[in-house]
Amino acid sequence: MAKKRVAVLISGRGSNMMALIEAARGEDYPAEIALVVSNRPDAAGLAWAREAGVATAIVDHRPFGENRAAFERALDAELRAQRIELICLAGFMRLLTPWFVGRWSGRMLNIHPALLPQFRGLDTHRRALEAGVKRHGATVHFVVPEMDAGPIVAQDWVAVRADDTESTLAERVLEVEHRIYPQALRALAEGRASLRSADNDAGSRGSSA
Ligand code: GRF
């Protein structure tokens, strides 16, 4: 079967992007990372992607100002020009409009550094520590118009330690992210995860790592 052509959308560091690129090098992996797109020309991940031999594009949001629709049309045109079939948002720091989300409905995943539906939005590690939760983790989900909502494809957790700081916790959660994102993309590319299916479960739930 032909590998699905995937675009990874980033705004910064790109460590999840790299995890996806590395996983997709596997011969039996059902997807190839055909394109990395950043909305920020200075995103560190762009250099990593180029080094890894992956095509990159920059669709800078700034010239479009408040005009999100025009930015998204430019982004969409780039994705279509490269015959992209699936999108992985990986630290992509732009809110997407219902138009773009609808266009890629069921074909776009996001990774969020928390156990959704807990801690939607930013600063998840700080908020988890403040809330005193015993478990924290990461979630890969389908993108729907509502932010950090949408059916869960993979989720896994780590135990929160008494001496954890935001950064130590973030570091352990990042390991979870790098493990479950490739699993979730595999499930989507193989047709084992869908926006309408109630029993998506690409990632093992529960770990004491
Ligand atoms: C990750 O924690 C991801 O879950 C969040 O933003 C961060 C991006 O990190 N959405 P990286 O760019 O993948 O290293």
Side-chain angles (χ1 to χ4, degrees), residues 84-163:
I84 295 304
E85 300 172 277
L86 303 174
I87 297 177
C88 290
L89 305 181
F92 184 68
M93 300 305 282
R94 301 296 296 168
L95 289 177
L96 295 167
T97 70
W99 174 77
F100 189 88
V101 173
R103 216 161 157 76
W104 291 92
S105 178
R107 298 184 296 143
M108 178 159 56
L109 299 176
N110 180 45
I111 186 146
H112 183 72
L115 291 173
L116 289 174
Q118 276 188 320
F119 309 122
R120 291 177 176 172
L122 298 173
D123 294 327
T124 55
H125 307 309
R126 179 177 56 72
R127 287 156 61 210
L129 289 174
E130 280 169 8
V133 292
K134 297 281 177 230
R135 292 176 180 184
H136 184 47
T139 306
V140 180
H141 63 94
F142 280 104
V143 178
V144 296
E146 196 184 339
M147 190 186 68
D148 297 334
I152 291 172
V153 180
Q155 190 170 59
D156 205 354
W157 57 272
V158 294
V160 179
R161 298 177 188 152
D163 61 351

Side-chain angles (χ1 to χ4, degrees), residues 12-17 90-91 93 110-113 125 174 177-178:
R13 179 178 55 181
S15 71
N16 279 287
M17 169 205 81
M93 300 305 282
N110 180 45
I111 186 146
H112 183 72
H125 307 309
L174 199 59
E177 296 185 36
H178 296 167

